[in-house]
Amino acid sequence: MTIKHHPPEHLLAGFACGPLEEADRLAMAVHAGQCPTCRRLVKALEQMGGAALEHTASFPMRPHALSEVLAQVDAKPASALGDTRATSAHDPDLPNVLRRCHFGKMRRVAPGVKMQPIILPGTDKSRAFLLWSAPGLKMLDHTHSGTELTCVLKGSFTHEGGYYGPGDFDYGDDDVDHQPIVGNDEPCLCFVAMSGTLKGNGWLGRIVSPLIRL
Ligand SMILES: [Zn+2]
């Protein structure tokens, strides 16, 4: 796995040291599980936070944030999240951190596109889902009102930002207007964390975007 695209610094720092929305935190856990470079960076940030804590009681960093988050995700009991079926739990393409999540119903949102929501334990308004796209598919041309974090789990896509393969992390915010095209070789499976809403452009976007809203 050659990873070329990593999360921006503010997300790495937030993951190591501070609050992140539930879906964003899960996206960071997925990427940290795939990417040794970012794992090392997060550990270093945690250690810096731990060292700083020895000197000031009010320093906001939390030591061991990465291992805490991974342990929390691992340990979340099924009963705490109701009786939702983890229909994707046995998918061999999913990393462990996602296999333990609970999923809503899978649905087709457009020709060649399926999505399955992930039920998050927190109460914030962030959303997370898995997205399957057919090979060669031209995705919806869209912008965002918030952020969209995408972790490629299988397959690939390209857009103005370059080529994104397994392990790559795509950060989109309201400055980004893009239209990903899925690689021709195989279906693309992504984990997506969203805050705000996705806004489709053009007539197809206007039809499809209400369906993508979770
Ligand atoms: Zn990375």
Side-chain angles (χ1 to χ4, degrees):
M1 192 183 288
T2 307
I3 298 177
K4 290 201 177 125
H5 302 276
H6 303 272
E9 286 172 5
H10 74 273
L11 284 178
L12 286 161
F15 186 50
C17 317
L20 278 183
E21 295 204 3
E22 287 290 334
D24 294 358
R25 197 145 52 109
L26 193 50
M28 293 303 297
V30 169
H31 183 74
Q34 294 172 309
C35 178
T37 306
C38 287
R39 253 194 327 267
R40 278 196 296 275
L41 197 50
V42 168
K43 281 215 165 91
L45 287 166
E46 287 176 357
Q47 280 160 8
M48 281 165 59
L53 275 171
E54 290 172 9
H55 295 98
T56 167
S58 62
F59 201 85
M61 290 187 169
R62 293 189 302 113
H64 311 303
L66 173 62
S67 47
E68 277 174 22
V69 167
L70 294 176
Q72 276 172 22
V73 173
D74 285 352
K76 192 65 72 182
S79 58
L81 296 167
D83 60 354
T84 51
R85 297 293 302 161
T87 51
S88 295
H90 303 296
D91 188 328
D93 297 319
L94 288 190
N96 283 338
V97 71
L98 293 181
R99 278 189 210 183
R100 292 177 172 89
C101 290
H102 287 254
F103 295 86
K105 197 174 166 206
M106 187 184 293
R107 56 190 160 139
R108 184 171 170 269
V109 292
V113 185
K114 286 186 299 183
M115 63 85 72
Q116 187 170 22
I118 293 175
I119 296 163
L120 299 170
T123 54
D124 65 42
K125 289 187 177 161
S126 62
R127 289 155 296 165
F129 54 93
L130 296 174
L131 191 70
W132 285 264
S133 311
L137 188 92
K138 211 172 183 182
M139 296 287 284
L140 178 67
D141 180 15
H142 64 280
T143 53
H144 315 94
S145 66
T147 58
E148 180 187 85
L149 317 182
T150 304
C151 300
V152 183
L153 305 176
K154 187 186 173 194
S156 65
F157 63 81
T158 54
H159 61 53
E160 292 82 345
Y163 170 89
Y164 292 76
D168 279 324
F169 188 99
D170 187 18
Y171 177 80
D173 61 20
D174 52 11
D175 292 333
V176 174
D177 176 356
H178 60 197
Q179 184 169 28
I181 299 172
V182 178
N184 283 319
D185 297 340
E186 59 179 334
C188 183
L189 170 60
C190 293
F191 167 87
V192 183
M194 270 178 65
S195 66
T197 52
L198 175 150
K199 293 180 281 190
N201 298 332
W203 66 270
L204 179 63
R206 284 195 293 275
I207 292 169
V208 171
S209 55
L211 300 173
I212 291 178
R213 204 166 295 149
L214 299 177

